[in-house]
Amino acid sequence: QVLLVESGGGLVQAGDSLRLSCAASGRTFSSFTMGWFRQAPGKEREFVAGISRIGTTTHYADSVKGRFTISRDNAKNTLFLQMPSLKPEDTAVYYCAARVTSAIFTTPTGYDYWGQGTQVTVSS
């Protein structure tokens, strides 16, 4: 078992910024490929961003390219998602996920462990 705990969500206005964090415990953090997903009401869970084990490779969904930045601090066992210029369509529950092997997957089935999620609400 790997425990993932997200934090940093909240209620903001369009154009504001948030930084989400995901704290990991239970296994060596640097052994996991990590990803962020989000799920809005009535929609399927969708990929947001992924990052390789040591952070040298990243991948983003088209909807957040040029806006969001995924990063990790392996010394602190923490994953981040910097979210500037938030839009109402970014409103969703955001989930942190871990994959035990290398390679960034863009589907939820590619990940082995999940956090409980943190709510991000962006008002117009």
Side-chain angles (χ1 to χ4, degrees):
Q1 291 285 336
V2 174
L3 179 63
L4 303 173
V5 181
E6 302 96 333
S7 62
L11 173 62
V12 298
Q13 295 182 346
D16 287 350
S17 300
L18 286 173
R19 188 179 75 160
L20 305 184
S21 298
C22 172
S25 62
R27 293 178 63 179
T28 302
F29 182 61
S30 60
S31 68
F32 295 99
T33 298
M34 301 296 296
W36 286 100
F37 290 77
R38 66 186 182 186
Q39 188 166 21
K43 299 181 65 177
E44 295 184 347
R45 190 169 300 186
E46 66 176 358
F47 173 79
V48 176
I51 189 167
S52 61
R53 292 173 177 178
I54 62 173
T56 55
T57 302
T58 58
H59 183 68
Y60 297 91
D62 289 342
S63 59
V64 304
K65 283 182 179 178
R67 292 195 298 135
F68 293 5
T69 301
I70 188 172
S71 62
R72 64 193 298 165
D73 187 341
N74 286 348
K76 297 182 178 180
N77 295 341
T78 305
L79 176 74
F80 302 98
L81 184 67
Q82 184 67 45
M83 305 189 297
S85 304
L86 284 164
K87 304 175 181 180
E89 52 262 43
D90 295 319
T91 296
V93 177
Y94 283 71
Y95 297 91
C96 171
R99 176 174 169 79
V100 298
T101 58
S102 62
I104 300 171
F105 276 51
T106 59
T107 58
T109 54
Y111 291 80
D112 303 292
Y113 303 99
W114 295 84
Q116 83 290 343
T118 185
Q119 177 71 51
V120 172
T121 303
V122 185
S123 63
S124 59

